[in-house]
Amino acid sequence: PPVPDNAPASPAERPEPTFLARLPARLGQDLLALEMEDHYVRVHTAEGSDLILMRLRDAIAELAGLDGMQVHRSHWVAAAAVARVERKPDGKLVLVLRNGLRVPVSRSYATAVREAGWVEKTGP
């Protein structure tokens, strides 16, 4: 049956987060993490990384609808990128991503990371 024009979009038809349009084609669209570097955002994808001139806060705002979260004042991570979570001797968490990148979790974001269920992905 035909779908009425005013029907809500299925998840597959949701518009891509606007930030993904900023990525250089060679990096693909498999976003793993964002990292603040001076006045730039370093974008990490499965294909590599590059710098984009913008504030991390603005980049995160453009990622609306993508499953991920800010885990540190200078880091945002995609949920699908987290391979495992390690706990350092001082109790702080470190996210280990699929590409081997290690991302610190600051104490102020640790509760949100735990509530998201990411800590269950613990490893050696």
Side-chain angles (χ1 to χ4, degrees):
V3 177
D5 291 339
N6 62 352
S10 72
E13 295 168 357
R14 254 190 233 133
E16 286 281 299
T18 53
F19 181 79
L20 296 180
R22 297 177 182 269
L23 298 180
R26 65 182 173 74
L27 288 182
Q29 299 281 295
D30 186 7
L31 184 63
L32 304 178
L34 302 178
E35 179 179 3
M36 198 167 62
E37 266 185 44
D38 295 320
H39 297 289
Y40 292 83
V41 171
R42 178 165 296 280
V43 179
H44 297 277
T45 72
E47 304 298 319
S49 73
D50 205 348
L51 292 172
I52 296 178
L53 179 60
M54 68 186 305
R55 295 182 309 185
L56 181 63
R57 167 182 16 177
D58 296 337
I60 291 170
E62 289 187 9
L63 289 172
L66 208 62
D67 188 14
M69 75 172 85
Q70 188 167 357
V71 298
H72 187 279
R73 68 183 168 86
S74 55
H75 294 276
W76 178 94
V77 174
V82 180
R84 69 180 190 274
V85 179
E86 296 177 354
R87 186 179 303 278
K88 295 188 342 198
D90 64 4
K92 288 188 177 174
L93 301 175
V94 176
L95 304 178
V96 181
L97 307 189
R98 294 191 322 247
N99 65 348
L101 188 69
R102 301 171 65 81
V103 178
V105 176
S106 65
R107 293 207 190 279
S108 55
Y109 291 99
T111 301
V113 168
R114 283 189 192 93
E115 287 173 355
W118 293 7
V119 178
E120 276 90 70
K121 300 178 180 182
T122 54

